[in-house]
Amino acid sequence: MTKKERAEWIHSYLEKIYPETPIPLTHDSPYTLLVAVLLSAQCTDLRVNSVTPELFNLADTAEKMVKLSAKKIETIVRPCGLAPKKSLAIHQLSNILLADYNGEVPKNMDLLERLPGVGHKTASVVMSQGFGYPAFAVDTHIHRLAQRWGLTNGKNVIQTEKDLKRIFPKKTWSKLHLQIIFYGREY
């Protein structure tokens, strides 16, 4: 079986077992999605979803978030781990969104990646799940499965992302990203 045939089979199989791909992080705007994804670094979605209701009840916009101190944010997000860094990043990016983007999350990968605490994967998730742009956010789980399935021999997530984007049609990226994550969690 060629790599292309294997990729088609994998895509077909994932479509059968995960025809629906709900977004795992609870959010109601691109801003709350951005904060939730930032909090999900080295943390489970379940834990993030247990923490964000309290945070978003106090501040679900950049304007409201900057009114909280970084210390107050830290107290709330502590269960997610790395709380001092994450809370400071949330506070700083909220200030930047207010100052430079009228409080709105920019619909641009490069601009997103310039925000504190926002890396390529976080920006990809926001572009895909928040704005509907095709993106293939590769985390360690997707990287591991892509290697196991023989779809990449990339040594890092950057190379794996490039390989997967070459193999799979662009229109499938956003859903397929979630399908692979769901598969990795279940199996």
Side-chain angles (χ1 to χ4, degrees), residues 5-23:
E5 290 168 334
R6 194 166 44 257
E8 288 171 358
W9 186 90
I10 289 166
H11 182 234
S12 174
Y13 180 73
L14 291 173
E15 276 290 321
K16 285 179 190 161
I17 61 174
Y18 304 110
E20 300 298 320
T21 52
I23 297 171

Side-chain angles (χ1 to χ4, degrees), residues 31-68:
Y31 177 76
T32 56
L33 176 63
L34 175 63
V35 171
V37 177
L38 189 152
L39 290 172
S40 74
Q42 298 181 17
C43 183
T44 66
D45 292 346
L46 188 63
R47 175 70 53 95
V48 172
N49 287 339
S50 73
V51 166
T52 53
E54 181 182 354
L55 181 63
F56 296 153
N57 280 337
L58 293 174
D60 60 354
T61 66
E63 186 176 37
K64 292 176 186 173
M65 194 67 74
V66 298
K67 291 178 182 172
L68 299 179

Side-chain angles (χ1 to χ4, degrees), residues 84-131:
K85 281 188 159 188
K86 289 178 181 180
S87 60
L88 186 58
I90 291 167
H91 199 267
Q92 289 174 336
L93 74 80
S94 297
N95 273 308
I96 292 169
L97 292 178
L98 281 173
D100 298 346
Y101 306 104
N102 202 29
E104 299 297 318
V105 176
K107 295 180 184 180
N108 178 290
M109 283 289 290
D110 293 332
L111 296 177
L112 282 168
E113 289 180 26
R114 291 181 195 158
L115 295 172
V118 178
H120 184 72
K121 181 194 152 249
T122 298
S124 294
V125 171
V126 172
M127 290 299 292
S128 171
Q129 298 171 4
F131 297 122

Side-chain angles (χ1 to χ4, degrees), residues 11 134-136 168-177 179:
H11 182 234
F136 211 126
F168 294 104
K170 192 174 192 174
K171 66 182 180 187
T172 67
W173 294 350
S174 295
K175 184 177 182 182
L176 187 58
H177 151 259
Q179 290 170 320

